[in-house]
Amino acid sequence: MAKIVALLPMKAHSARVSGKNFRVLVNKPLFRWVLDSLVSVDEIDQIIINTDARDILASNGLVDGFGGGKVLVRDRRPEICGDFVPMNTIIEDDLAAVEAQAYLMTHTTNPFLSAGTIQKALQAYGEAVEQGTADSLFTVNKIQTRFYRQDGSAVNHDPNVLLRTQDLEPWFEENSNLYVFSKASFAATNARIGGKPMMFETPML
């Protein structure tokens, strides 16, 4: 596959959990778990960290060239900083600055995303693009269970016909683990999920 760039946006402030990206999980900062997985994937040529927290990252040992030269830290432009800036705006800024044939995007809040899952997703994306069956990929949880509305009415099943849950129509939940796309697919929808996406099921934890 041609050049692949991973995007790992990271900001200093978090609205819900203060400094969450840098809090220690087991024995290292949260961001390092997924970053270490990205670094270990040979198919990924470069990792871009778009951030307003260069100093905090540096104090945690993360500088340009980290990971055998793979990591590039990009200072987030002031006009796209803040809690209410859409993630697609951050991605668009990176795409304008860094050329690649494919972009993989994930979050620091995915510490259990393994290198193996990343590699399988990249392979599935590459095959789908080559076959013309998809222009992008996003990860999902497959769910087969009985859903109800707030008023108690059934959503996806007939309570009078008690099918086994494994026989119910599966629903798929976007889980924000991983997105793979091209500059062209992003431009078509102005989003990381293109106009002809494929869903990639990841293990439930």
Side-chain angles (χ1 to χ4, degrees), residues 84-152:
F84 301 102
V85 177
M87 181 51 63
N88 285 324
T89 300
I90 308 299
I91 295 172
E92 186 177 27
D93 185 67
D94 283 333
L95 266 58
V98 182
E99 287 295 329
Q101 280 67 50
Y103 300 87
L104 177 155
M105 187 262 173
T106 186
H107 297 280
T108 57
T109 47
N110 293 319
F112 304 115
L113 180 62
S114 70
T117 295
I118 295 169
Q119 289 172 312
K120 289 175 184 176
L122 287 172
Q123 181 178 355
Y125 168 81
E127 291 172 354
V129 169
E130 186 175 346
Q131 295 165 6
T133 58
D135 67 350
S136 54
L137 174 150
F138 68 102
T139 54
V140 296
N141 298 324
K142 181 181 178 181
I143 300 173
Q144 284 177 284
T145 190
R146 299 181 183 90
F147 287 97
Y148 292 84
R149 299 178 183 85
Q150 191 171 7
D151 64 4

Side-chain angles (χ1 to χ4, degrees), residues 13-14 24 28 40 42 67 83 93 117 125 146 149 164 186:
H13 172 69
S14 175
V24 173
K28 57 186 176 182
S40 71
D42 291 337
D83 293 335
D93 185 67
T117 295
Y125 168 81
R146 299 181 183 90
R149 299 178 183 85
R164 300 180 303 169
F186 185 92

Side-chain angles (χ1 to χ4, degrees), residues 2 5 21 33 38 42-43 50 55 72 99 106 110 124 132 150 152 158 173 178 187 196:
V5 167
N21 294 326
W33 288 94
L38 293 171
D42 291 337
E43 291 86 347
N50 188 317
D55 291 346
L72 172 65
E99 287 295 329
T106 186
N110 293 319
Q150 191 171 7
D158 182 351
E173 175 191 23
L178 195 68
K196 192 178 181 182

